[in-house]
Amino acid sequence: SAVGRGPEVPFRSEAYRISATARGKELRLTLSAQQHPPGAAAPRQDLVFRFGMSGSFRLCPAAELPRHAHLRFLTRESPPRALCFVDVRRFGSWRLGDAWQEERGPCVVSEYQAFRENVLKNVDDRAFDVPICEALLNQKYFNGIGNYLRAEILYRVKIPPFEKARTVLEALKDKDQEKKKDPSLTLSKKVKLMRKNQDLLELCHTVPMEVITAGKQLFDAEHADNYAAFKEWLQCYMVPGMSCLRDRQGRTIWFQGEPGPMAPKGQRPQKTRRKKSAQLKADPKTPEATSRALKRAAATPPKADEKEEGEEEEAGRPRKGRARGKKRVTPAPALPEPEVPLNTRRSLRTSARRGRG
């Protein structure tokens, strides 16, 4: 598109096929020409995409392109459709070539064993001097883990987000060494143990797999704005009742319980508020709302009543400025007054003072 920030794609072909390979947070598209001279290699072009926060691919009619469709691949059918790279916030990008980014480690989904070994053999790296919630966003070791995944993983494994990363990972390193030394553990037993008591690194693999395998239920491509199923799947991230803090990078982490020893100073965990029921908002005269109002009224009586009680207590005492020797006049019995709402009552003393002024 005219406003796209990515490089021009120098590939031209009347008919080509698109294939894709994913690794962590990157996606590689390969464009292969279908028409080429006999004996010659088929022209091809590789593109590697990063999605940022809002990037995605959509297949839609070519005449109804979505806004922010920065790169488009047209089909040959009639009417044609377009495979679009859509990025509203423009944090995503693409580059020419087939090379993955060098600073990214093995994928947590497709290269689990290599991912685990890469983390545990580098536990002494300075990258693990930070809280575990910040280390989980380091794509050099946790390629594919993002903000909502780290919250879900730490919540399930019950690790405070601001526990030191090295402390958490050294325990897993010792655990792996004990498993290797134990000859009674067969492969099937290891698999059973992994499923029963999943550690942090195992959850870095299984939690994203839940999203991928249930992708059709969690993400509806035809209704991209409908996140109801995804919100239902979430257990911690932005869930009412959970606490949240900002880490040193300014990213918000959701958690339950204590934040951990490396929590940022000067911040207090804020809890996500639970939404009030729609019934109470729509009809304030429901039994539950009425009973609550009565309890509050009983607990804190109106100020007007308090002042009248004070008047009764001081009725027998002489007021300031009056002679003590004066005879007290017994007031005549008052006639019953009509009921006045509590909020409109005023004490006699208040009105007398105002008149005096």
Side-chain angles (χ1 to χ4, degrees):
S1 70
V3 295
R5 296 179 180 177
E8 286 287 338
V9 183
F11 180 81
R12 295 291 179 272
S13 178
E14 289 299 321
Y16 59 94
R17 184 181 299 277
I18 301 179
S19 57
T21 308
R23 184 175 183 267
K25 286 194 170 186
E26 294 183 293
L27 183 75
R28 181 168 62 206
L29 293 191
T30 301
L31 315 180
S32 307
Q34 298 297 294
Q35 299 173 357
H36 55 88
R44 57 177 285 172
Q45 176 67 57
D46 291 298
L47 305 168
V48 177
F49 286 82
R50 293 173 63 184
F51 292 90
M53 292 182 70
S54 60
S56 65
F57 276 98
R58 294 188 196 176
L59 187 63
C60 57
E64 302 173 10
L65 293 176
R67 293 185 64 190
H68 307 286
H70 300 305
L71 196 61
R72 305 183 283 267
F73 306 93
L74 301 176
T75 65
R76 298 186 70 185
E77 60 194 337
S78 181
R81 289 185 295 170
L83 178 67
C84 306
F85 176 64
V86 182
D87 187 16
V88 177
R89 298 188 182 183
R90 300 190 189 183
F91 291 161
S93 63
W94 68 86
R95 63 182 185 278
L96 304 177
D98 61 350
W100 306 110
Q101 277 190 319
E102 292 183 2
E103 65 269 22
R104 289 184 179 268
C107 176
V108 296
V109 172
S110 59
E111 303 166 306
Y112 169 68
Q113 286 302 329
F115 149 71
R116 188 180 184 95
E117 290 171 8
N118 183 47
V119 172
L120 295 181
K121 77 180 181 183
N122 292 294
V123 171
D124 296 330
D125 193 338
R126 290 177 61 185
F128 299 116
D129 289 337
V130 299
I132 187 62
C133 66
E134 294 180 15
L136 284 171
L137 295 182
N138 188 339
Q139 301 300 297
K140 182 179 178 180
Y141 295 107
F142 296 90
N143 186 12
I145 302 300
N147 203 25
Y148 83 89
L149 284 173
R150 69 170 177 171
E152 295 299 311
I153 290 163
L154 291 173
Y155 172 76
R156 295 192 191 191
V157 81
K158 294 180 173 56
I159 292 176
F162 291 94
E163 185 66 56
K164 192 172 184 178
R166 184 175 291 108
T167 305
V168 175
L169 296 171
E170 279 179 345
L172 301 185
K173 192 175 181 180
D174 296 339
K175 174 185 167 184
D176 279 15
Q177 288 175 354
E178 289 175 8
K179 281 184 180 179
K180 288 178 182 178
K181 291 177 183 178
D182 191 352
S184 63
L185 284 177
T186 60
L187 181 61
S188 60
K189 286 183 179 179
K190 287 180 181 178
V191 172
K192 284 180 182 177
L193 281 172
M194 182 181 122
R195 288 177 180 172
K196 189 176 180 181
N197 301 312
Q198 292 188 331
D199 60 37
L200 175 78
L201 297 180
E202 288 162 350
L203 285 169
C204 285
H205 171 71
T206 57
V207 174
M209 284 298 294
E210 287 181 18
V211 182
I212 294 169
T213 54
K216 290 182 180 179
Q217 289 77 33
L218 294 180
F219 301 104
D220 186 356
E222 295 181 0
H223 303 90
D225 297 329
N226 183 12
Y227 294 108
F230 178 65
K231 286 180 180 177
E232 191 177 344
W233 174 82
L234 293 170
Q235 298 180 28
C236 179
Y237 180 77
M238 295 185 71
V239 172
M242 296 294 166
S243 302
C244 65
L245 280 172
R246 287 188 179 273
D247 60 22
R248 293 184 305 172
Q249 279 74 41
R251 303 290 299 273
T252 303
I253 174 70
W254 274 263
F255 61 94
Q256 187 179 48
E258 293 298 321
M262 297 184 75
K265 295 180 180 178
Q267 283 192 57
R268 289 185 179 180
Q270 297 181 357
K271 281 203 172 184
T272 312
R273 293 182 179 179
R274 298 182 183 275
K275 292 183 180 178
K276 294 180 181 178
S277 64
Q279 186 182 2
L280 284 177
K281 287 183 179 178
D283 184 11
K285 295 180 182 179
T286 55
E288 188 179 354
T290 309
S291 63
R292 285 180 184 173
L294 290 173
K295 285 179 183 176
R296 282 199 298 269
T300 55
K303 292 181 180 178
D305 287 352
E306 291 175 4
K307 288 183 178 179
E308 288 180 0
E309 287 174 7
E311 289 290 342
E312 289 175 9
E313 288 177 6
E314 294 182 0
R317 284 185 254 167
R319 290 188 183 181
K320 280 186 179 180
R322 291 191 178 185
R324 294 192 180 186
K326 215 169 186 180
K327 290 182 180 179
R328 187 186 303 169
V329 180
T330 307
L335 296 172
E337 293 180 3
E339 263 189 77
V340 182
L342 289 175
N343 55 357
T344 60
R345 289 185 190 173
R346 287 193 307 178
S347 69
L348 296 173
R349 172 175 286 187
T350 305
S351 56
R353 282 177 182 169
R354 286 180 183 171
R356 229 182 281 162

